Structure formats: structure tokens, C-alpha cells
Amino acid sequence: MSSEKEHRKSLAMTRTQTMERAHGNAVPIEFRTLSMHVTETQRSSKTETQGGFMSSKSSKGKDSTEGETDFFSTVDFHKLTTAEISLRFNSNETSGLAPAEAARRLSANGPNTLDIRKPNYLKKILGYLFGGFCSVLWIGVITFFVCWQPPLSNPPNVTNLALAVLVIFVIFLQASFSAFQDFSTAKVMSSIMDMIPADCIVSRDGVQTKIPASQLVVGDRVHLSLGNKVPADLRLLQASNDTRFDRAVLTGESEAIEASTTATDDNFLESKNIAFMGTHIVQGSCVGIVVLKGNDTLMGRINKLTAGRKEKRTIIQQEIDRFVKIIVGLTCVLASIILIVWAAWIRRSYPDFMNTASLLVTLMGCVVAFIPEGMPVCVSLTLLMIARRMRAANILPKALTTVETLGCVNVICSDKTGTLTENKMFITDVAFLDVESTPEEVTLKFEKETRPNSLPQPKDSPEVLALRQLQLATLLCNNAKFETETMHLPVAERNVLGDATDSALLRFATQTSDTSLLSTCFDRTMEIPFNSRNKWMMAVYQGTAAQPEVIKTLFGSHMGNAGSDFNEKDAQLVLVKGAPDILLPHCRSFLTGSNNEPQPLNEQWIAELARIQQAWSRRGQRVLMLCKGEYNPYFAATQVGASSGSSAQQEELTRQGLQNLCILGLVGIMDPPRPEIKATIAECRRAGARFFMVTGDFGLTAAAIARQIGLFATDREPDTYEDIMDPTRKSNSLGSESSLDEMGEYEVGRPQFREGTSLVLTGSDLTRISPGEWDIVCAYEEIVFARTSPEQKLKIVTEFQQRDGVVAVTGDGVNDAPALKAADVGVAVVSGSDVAIEAADLILLGGFDSIPQAMRLGRIVFQNLQKVIGYLLPAGSWSEIWPVLINTFLGTPLPLSSFLMIIICCFTDAFCCMTLVMELEEYDLLSLPPRNAKKDHLITGRIYLQSYVFIGSVMTFFSNMLFFTYLKEATNLGFKDLVLTFGNIDYSKLHPWVTKNEFDTTYTYKGQCIVFVSLMIMQLGNLLSIRNRRMSILQADPVRPARRNLWIFCGMIVSICIAIFVVKLPWIQNVMLTSDIPLKYWFIPIPCAVCVLLMDEIRKAGVRAFPGGILAKLAW
């Protein structure tokens, strides 16, 4: 009983956390959710009006989302008549605004533009100068300044002043690289301003004028035609019967919305007499009045809410923050120990050894020594170089720090339309009821049996004549047309002005054979556009006077042509397209593809039609039926009289046109998967990332696409919500083992992935899933989320993130923006909406197959950053802190000055470690599982063990040994003579030619420079070693092509040159207290560097020989 209570408590806690997380990510509200909120608000308002009033307390608690909901719930522009809307905006119903009035409104209300979020530059500058290690380094600057002049230094110590200036230079160097990193980000940011078209046509004083869209004002009358992008939120005043808008950029729904001039819904966002900014007109033409512009538009408000979301810290930023905290913490501990030892012991026992100024300089020396000042610069350069590689692979990272996160991604949630598919509808199958075929086979048939660009002849084979009829139906019952500017391109690459379905039919008709001559043989006389009530389109044609025989050859000798008088025996051709279920009741016959003869439509052929439709639907195709009929103008005239163009004539056309239809054929239309997507999904899975589809499409279609692209690996039926409710239902029927644990419950927390399991969930399913059931859902390997709203996409992302998922989301629409923003990595395609691009972290400039390459580069970033830090720590941290400790606790002269420590960190080491940025992968990184960001940190205990205890200790020993060896050789005072002296050195042991002052200055400075040169040279051995984690330098040297990196030698040369300048330039010697060193001490450290390399080679050999041994477990 108690265990059951604990289980319920656990689920309740999980549910609370889920709600809290969802609330935190729900600020970037989107169209569909906003629309639902508006509808609910309007309903509740009606109830409140009847039952009372809303409490003031609740109204005070409104957030920005509720504010937008309230705004759109009270807008009534869509409900006003044409006269009322013109009166409200003081705009003439026919001539629009006067130019003077438009100019006044523009001046008063501002341009029709959207706000772009502006960064807080002061906050950024302060972050550059005081973030990370810089905050600690500023303490060093202040300390060095304080120790420069009396009372702490009398006379003034110029060296301390120079150190303060040098540390300031280091801070500004780090800040400059951080600023450059942000500048690179800002440079590639795609502006949401591109959502507004450049120009539009308005009526000013009755004259149609083209103006920049930014100069639109409320009350302007805007004229739109096929292909135009809506420049503001418009209330439609006039619209042709076939006007349709593509709202996919807002709703994600590919089906175009037909326009209306009257309100079709109480909800402003759902009414079809409103055209929203950023949407496209894909058919027809219209006139609208501007009711909302700029930031007041729906697009502007979505942009404002999305942009208001707090920027998330990337994983690499979190890792660097963690590293900074560890290093600063250790530095503070060491400084505190030194301070305590000085106060409790050294100050009392050896007052002349370390006064207050010396203490402060020593403490700052500890800070300078232990903090690898060059690391932020090297990290920035690493990210910058990998970002350049990404750009070369057609991947544009908007923020450099996002690059590494890709290497951790273990869940990819991808939109379907435009991302997994090409977002171009194509006909993939055609069929008569007795013959199935493909567009390629139709094209081949025409090429074999007809001449190019020839007209149909009676002698043509029955198969060709039947195909001609089907081809003409797709061409003529169509309102799409090719964009003139793209006519020189292949048919598949031309831009089409029209909706997705008409575009597919037009491409099919044009690709199968040249229709330029054939299309001129038909004149359209009437049409009934597609609308939501009829769900079909009808077009009426007659032959042209120039080519009257073509229509007779194909459709019968009784077909009339232009210029002829129609009698009761003549007819015009009616072509109809629509869904089979809608048109089938009106059909009485079908055309056979084998002999071009009509046959009666009986139960057998209806069953065959249903079989074809079901088979194609299971393959993810939308099935469209094309029919032919007849329209007799003579009978129509006797029925409706002279009322040409009236609704009575439309009704007569509908009555005649749908009577006794003959089925010409079926076409299967689908948005085909991108050719590279199947291999991409396989590669992502090989890299350990699960690949899910999140789409607004129907489950059956989405599952069919999932099978085609390999997202579903098998043909078995996927699990559904019912299988989650009762997990034993399907496993029992399949005879498989249950995945439940011994207690009969699924493991709560991070799920154990069950390979080979697939699942399809719909948006309605997601509303019913409890947190405990989400644990089960997140355990599936293959998932399709269908019919999801943008808010549900956001929910999916947060649920996986709560279960240790590092989620990448791909999308291209405005409705994807919230999920893109909430994801660890948001990926948008360059052809997508600008709102999606604004919300994303990466932009795909090429194919979707660049995703695995981006993941590979993300892992290379992490690998190379570990190498960079592993290179910097031995000399730039560990070997530098020991001279300070030896000086403080053993009372010897300081083996390495603060100035030389900074030179090592920021210059000699920096140039060498920059070459590690260019390293290629040591092994196939995509064959490894993704890094667990919560456990596998950038800096681990193993790296500290490698850098400090193993390599660092060797370098510390050799460098300090050389310091004391040189002093013994040059002055006769060695380690035994100096240890624990704390300034009380027995100078009587000096060589006769060495004075006390020379020992304290010249010889000590030379010894410090020997330590500096020896660390620089030993780091060259570390450089050759650290570039390979497992492989020997004999297997992966920097010269041979497989792992070639000739930059390493450039870095070595630059480091040596810097060391020469530091120890030989007189002005540096005078100010920074350096000195030239004997020539042999340039060569003695070389065997030490070889020793460092050989020791690590021995370690790697042990790891390779005993992969399960202690060395392998301790290896970084």
C-alpha cells in the first residue's frame, strides 16, 4: 500500500514539474494556441455578461499572452460591413486615402515595420569585461596598482605597474574575442523584417500607386494578386471567386484558405475575410483595407512574444561556467591557504621575507598562475574555426556556442512538410480503373508513340488518346501557372503561382509532354472554383476556332468550338477534379486506359477504385479524381434566359456538369521525401540520436511517410495510445516479451530505450497523456506525433528534456518557432519563414543531410576543446602554481615571475593550442553514443589527472630542477642551500665573482627565464602528445594526410619566437625583469619534452593493450 502511495506521489511530483516547465516555455505563443484562447475568451465573455462581471483580481494577473488574447477577442474589424469599416478608418470606399492624409498617419503612427529585439549593449560590455575569469583578474589589476606606489612600494615598483597594464591587456583581449564572437552571431542573424514584402499597390485618391510596404498606413486600400505576399493585416473588401490564401506560415496547414468578403467566424483569427501579414495569395485577386500594421499585426504580436523569451544558456556555456567556478574556487582556496600561512607563521617568523606588498603580489601571482587566462580566447577560436567548417558544409550557426551542443543531441524532433519532405507536391501515381502507371511511364509512352509537341490524331493508339485526355484534365482544370522568370528552368525547378495541388497537376501535365501547342487549342468559357462547400473544381472548355478538330478527336465530334452556334446536339467539355468520395456519387462510367472506351461503373469497378485509393493513401498520397462531363449552352440559355453570369447560370452549370460524369482517372499526389532524408535518419541513429516526426498532418499520411524515409524501420503496425494504456495488449498478441520490470511497472525517470518499437500519437492523444505515461512514450525508439498544435510541439520538447533528452528541433514555419526556441538546438531551413529562422540556432543552407555533419562537427568541437584545455593546464596552471607554492612554503626565490606566467598562458601556449582547433577526428565520432551532458563534462577528473598529476608533475619537476640546477652552476647556491631559508640565504657560499645583489636580481631573473623557456619547450612535446587520445604519434602524425595538421609546426615556431623576444629584448628585460639565458638551456629542455611525449605514448600503449585495465579507466 505504501509503495502505491509513493508511486502516486512520484507521478504527482512529475506532473507538477511538467506543468511548471511548460509554463516557463509557453510565453512564445503561436497562432493556433492564440486562436483557441480567443475563442474560449469570447465564450467566457458571453457567460460573464449574463452572469456577472470578472473580478479585478484576475484581470490584474494577466500576463502578456492573456493580453494578446484579450486584444484579438475584442477586435471586430471582420464583423463590420464595407461601409462601416471604411467609415471607421475614415477611408473613401472607392478612392482610398488622400496622399496628404496618408503622410500624416505615417508621421503620427510610424512605419509598417516589425520591432527587432535590440541587445542591451551596456550589459553585454560589462559581461565581456567582468564575466568568467575577468572578475578575478580585475582584483589582480587593482592589487598590482596598489602595490605600485607608496606606501606599499617605496620607491615605486614599475614592474607592478607593468603587470597591472599587462593584465588589463589580457582582460581586453578576452573581451575582444567575446565581442567578436557575438559580432559573428549578429552578422548572420536573419532579420524578421524580411517577412514584409518590399512593395505593394495601394489606392491613393483613386490612383493605384506602388509604394514601399513600410509606408502603409491604417486605412490604406491594398490591391493583391496571385503570388503577392500580404503586407499587413487586411480586412477584405473585394475578392474574386477563386481567391485563396496560404496561411501555412502561421498555422502549418498546407491547405489554402478560400477568401471571403464577409465574416465566417466570430474569432478574428479564424475569419476568412481577414488576410494576415506574411501569408501569400496563391489564387485569384482581392482588395483589402489595412486594419492593423507593423507590431500591431498578428505576425508582429507573435514576433514580440517569441522575441521576449529569455535566451537559454547553451551546454558549452554551462560547461565553461563550471570550469571557471572550479578554477576560481581552487584559486581562492590556495590564496586563502597562503594568506593564513603568512598571517600565522611567515609574518611572525620571517618578517623580512614577505612584507604586505610582497604578500599581495604573491597572492595575485597565485591567481595569475592558476587561472589559464588564454583559455577563453582559445575556446572562442575553436568555436569560430568549427563554425567556419560548418558554413563550408552549408550549415550556418547563428551563435558559436550552440555548435558544441549538437554533439550531445540524443533526440531529434523534425517537422515533416518542408523539412523531411520537399514542400513541393508532385504526382507520383496515375491510374485508369483498369491500368495503373507512373508519370515516368506516361512520359515514356508519349516519347515512343508521338512526335514532340504534336497534336492528337485519330490514328493515335487508344492508350495514347486516353492518356491525352487525362493529361488535358490535369492541365485545363487548373488555375496555376508557371512564373515567367523561371520558364527557362526544368519543369521540376520552376516556381509555380498557385496552390500546392494545382502546382502538382501543372507539373505533371507539362513534364509528360510539351503542352505549349496543345493548350492553345482550348478556350475556357466558365468555371466554378474550389470551395469548402463543394470540395471540387469545375472548368468548362470549347475548342478554338483555329484548331476545332483537337477537342473533337479527343472528346467527341459533338464538342463545339468558338465562333459556332450551339444547338441541342452540341456541347462544351466539362472537366471536374475533386476527392473520389465527393465525386463518385455523380459518376456513371469510367474511361478505360487500354482501349479509350467508356465503361459502365458497376460494383466491381467501384471496389477497384476503393482498393487503389486505399493503397495510395497508405503510401502517404492524397488521391484526386478527374472526371469529364458535358455542358450544353443551348439548354442552359432556355433554362436561365439572358442572366449570364448570374447565380442561376452557376446552378445550371453545376446541375449539367455533375450529371453522368465519366471518370477519366486517378492521380496520387504527395509531397515527396527529400532524396537524402533516408540516409540522414540512418546516420543520425548510428550516432545515437533518436529521430521523431512532429507534424500537423494526419496520422495515416505521416506514418506512410515515416515508412518511406526509414523512420519506421519495419512494416509492422505501430503502437498507439491504446497500447500505452494497456502495454500487454499488443505484446500478448505478438507473442513478445513485456518490457515491464519485476514489479509490473515501467521505470520512472530516464527510460530504457526499446529498439524496434514504433509509436503513432495524435494531438488529441497528447492531451490525455499523464506524466507517468510520458515515461513510457519517451522510451520508444520510433515516434510519429501527428495532428499536433504548436503548443503540443513545445510540450513534446519539454517532456523529452525532463528525461535527460538533449533535443534538436527542425522546422520552417512560424508555428514551429516556440519549439525551436525551447529546444537545446533549434534548426531551421533557409527556405522557411523568417520567424522560424529568427528563433533557430542553426540554419541549413543546403540539404537536410548536413545534420549528421553538423553533429560530427559538434563532437569535434568537444573533442578539440578537451585537447585545448588538456594542453593549457599542465604549464598554464599546474606548473605555474608550484613556483608560487615553493616560494611561499619552502622559502626559496620565486622560480617563475607573474609576467612570465601571463606570457605562457596568453601567448606561447595560446598560439600552440590554436593549432589543436584544426585537428580532425581521431576516429569515427558518429559511431559513438552522444555525450551525456549531465555526466560527461568538458573538464573531468580524468583530465585533471592527466594534466596535473601525470604531465603537469613531470613538467613541474623538470622546470624547477633546471631553475635550481642553473643557480647551483652559476652561483654555487643550489636547492639545499635555498630551501627553508625564507630570505636568510647564506651568501658566503656564492662564487667570489657573484655578489648578493646580482644573485637576487640577474641570476634569479635568468633562472626564471630558464623555467619559462623549459616550460615552453616541454609544452611542444605535450602538444604532439595531446592531439591523440588513444592513437600513437606513429599512427597519427601531423604530416601524413590522414591526420595532417601542419599548423602545429607554425604554432611551435611562433611560440619559440615569442620566447626569444621575451628574454632578449632590452626594454622587456628592463621593465619586466627578464634576462637572456645561456644557449645550452635552450637545448637541455628538448630531452625533457621528448620524455613528456614518450611517457604519454607508453600510457596510450597500455590503454590500447588493456582496454579494460586500470590505465584505460583512468585515461581521459
Side-chain angles (χ1 to χ4, degrees), residues 10 46 135 194 239 283 341 385 416 429 460 504 513 515 517 667 718 891 894 1017 1104 1115:
S10 172
K46 292 178 182 178
S135 56
D194 292 337
Q283 200 166 302
V341 170
M385 295 306 298
K416 178 179 75 69
D429 288 281
D460 290 342
S513 69
T515 59
L517 182 59
V667 292
L894 183 64
I1017 292 177
R1104 293 194 302 271

Side-chain angles (χ1 to χ4, degrees), residues 241 526 528 533 640 643-655:
N241 290 335
M526 300 177 67
I528 300 177
R533 180 172 57 84
V640 300
S643 55
S644 177
S646 66
S647 59
Q649 190 173 14
Q650 291 276 327
E651 291 175 4
E652 177 63 17
L653 173 58
T654 302
R655 187 189 68 79

Side-chain angles (χ1 to χ4, degrees), residues 147-344:
C147 296
W148 161 39
Q149 287 195 344
L152 295 181
S153 293
N154 194 8
N157 190 329
V158 180
T159 301
N160 287 340
L161 173 62
L163 283 173
V165 173
L166 181 61
V167 175
I168 290 175
F169 172 77
V170 170
I171 291 172
F172 276 92
L173 182 67
Q174 292 187 12
S176 298
F177 272 89
S178 298
F180 178 74
Q181 188 170 306
D182 279 358
F183 170 75
S184 299
T185 298
K187 191 176 180 181
V188 301
M189 288 282 282
S190 176
S191 173
I192 196 172
M193 293 291 291
D194 292 337
M195 289 301 294
I196 303 179
D199 299 302
C200 58
I201 297 175
V202 298
S203 290
R204 296 275 173 89
D205 265 350
V207 179
Q208 292 190 16
T209 308
K210 180 181 285 189
I211 65 170
S214 60
Q215 294 182 12
L216 274 180
V217 296
V218 171
D220 261 327
R221 291 173 63 89
V222 181
H223 297 257
L224 298 174
S225 58
L226 179 65
N228 289 159
K229 186 185 285 186
V230 182
D233 285 357
L234 309 179
R235 159 67 160 85
L236 298 183
L237 306 177
Q238 303 169 17
S240 60
N241 290 335
D242 59 340
T243 302
R244 302 176 77 189
F245 288 93
D246 179 5
R247 286 188 180 178
V249 70
L250 287 173
T251 66
E253 298 170 358
S254 58
E255 193 67 33
I257 303 296
E258 61 187 85
S260 171
T261 54
T262 57
T264 59
D265 198 293
D266 285 342
N267 187 342
F268 174 81
L269 302 179
E270 298 292 343
S271 185
K272 296 178 181 178
N273 66 340
I274 300 296
F276 293 108
M277 172 192 278
T279 60
H280 289 80
I281 178 169
V282 295
Q283 200 166 302
S285 60
C286 61
V287 178
I289 185 171
V290 177
V291 294
L292 296 171
K293 70 175 187 63
N295 294 318
D296 295 329
T297 63
L298 173 63
M299 186 69 69
R301 291 170 185 272
I302 290 178
N303 171 51
K304 184 167 57 179
L305 290 170
T306 304
R309 181 181 173 80
K310 185 179 178 180
E311 290 187 10
K312 55 186 180 290
R313 299 285 288 174
T314 63
I315 291 177
I316 192 63
Q317 287 173 326
Q318 296 172 21
E319 289 293 325
I320 292 173
D321 290 345
R322 176 178 174 272
F323 175 66
V324 169
K325 290 175 183 176
I326 291 173
I327 292 296
V328 171
L330 290 174
T331 303
C332 293
V333 169
L334 287 172
S336 300
I337 292 173
I338 292 173
L339 179 61
I340 292 171
V341 170
W342 177 82

Side-chain angles (χ1 to χ4, degrees), residues 271-556:
S271 185
K272 296 178 181 178
N273 66 340
I274 300 296
F276 293 108
M277 172 192 278
T279 60
H280 289 80
I281 178 169
V282 295
Q283 200 166 302
S285 60
C286 61
V287 178
I289 185 171
V290 177
V291 294
L292 296 171
K293 70 175 187 63
N295 294 318
D296 295 329
T297 63
L298 173 63
M299 186 69 69
R301 291 170 185 272
I302 290 178
N303 171 51
K304 184 167 57 179
L305 290 170
T306 304
R309 181 181 173 80
K310 185 179 178 180
E311 290 187 10
K312 55 186 180 290
R313 299 285 288 174
T314 63
I315 291 177
I316 192 63
Q317 287 173 326
Q318 296 172 21
E319 289 293 325
I320 292 173
D321 290 345
R322 176 178 174 272
F323 175 66
V324 169
K325 290 175 183 176
I326 291 173
I327 292 296
V328 171
L330 290 174
T331 303
C332 293
V333 169
L334 287 172
S336 300
I337 292 173
I338 292 173
L339 179 61
I340 292 171
V341 170
W342 177 82
W345 175 44
I346 296 175
R347 182 175 62 89
R348 297 178 180 179
S349 302
Y350 307 99
D352 296 331
F353 175 66
M354 188 180 291
N355 57 26
T356 303
S358 299
L359 169 69
L360 293 176
V361 171
T362 300
L363 291 176
M364 289 308 99
C366 175
V367 170
V368 170
F370 206 69
I371 291 178
E373 292 89 351
M375 194 209 74
V377 174
C378 295
V379 168
S380 296
L381 288 172
T382 302
L383 296 174
L384 184 63
M385 295 306 298
I386 294 296
R388 285 187 177 180
R389 286 199 210 176
M390 284 191 163
R391 290 188 187 112
N394 286 327
I395 309 159
L396 189 65
K398 288 169 54 180
L400 298 181
T401 50
T402 309
V403 171
E404 188 277 332
T405 309
L406 278 165
C408 304
V409 167
N410 52 30
V411 173
I412 300 176
C413 295
S414 178
D415 183 34
K416 178 179 75 69
T417 304
T419 308
L420 300 180
T421 62
E422 296 183 7
N423 200 19
K424 290 182 179 179
M425 303 295 281
F426 289 94
I427 291 178
T428 55
D429 288 281
V430 295
F432 300 98
L433 294 194
D434 60 335
V435 179
E436 288 190 55
S437 186
T438 65
E440 292 76 17
E441 291 171 347
V442 173
T443 303
L444 189 62
K445 186 78 171 176
F446 282 141
E447 288 177 351
K448 284 185 176 180
E449 300 191 22
T450 63
R451 296 192 308 274
N453 203 18
S454 61
L455 296 176
Q457 303 294 329
K459 62 181 181 180
D460 290 342
S461 67
E463 295 92 338
V464 168
L465 292 175
L467 287 172
R468 282 292 189 196
Q469 292 190 56
L470 184 60
Q471 179 193 25
L472 276 170
T474 61
L475 178 68
L476 301 179
C477 193
N478 197 327
N479 283 324
K481 61 181 180 180
F482 289 117
E483 202 173 67
T484 307
E485 292 78 6
T486 62
M487 287 298 293
H488 63 285
L489 298 175
V491 174
E493 298 178 16
R494 296 177 191 170
N495 292 335
V496 180
L497 301 175
D499 65 26
T501 301
D502 281 357
S503 299
L505 294 172
L506 178 62
R507 283 196 176 96
F508 165 77
T510 311
Q511 279 180 320
T512 50
S513 69
D514 190 348
T515 59
S516 56
L517 182 59
L518 187 61
S519 60
T520 62
C521 300
F522 295 84
D523 283 339
R524 180 181 292 192
T525 59
M526 300 177 67
E527 74 164 296
I528 300 177
F530 180 93
N531 58 66
S532 57
R533 180 172 57 84
N534 293 335
K535 298 187 186 307
W536 46 258
M537 175 187 175
M538 180 182 294
V540 183
Y541 283 87
Q542 64 184 4
T544 61
Q547 298 284 357
E549 69 282 354
V550 175
I551 193 171
K552 299 179 184 294
T553 300
L554 289 173
F555 299 100

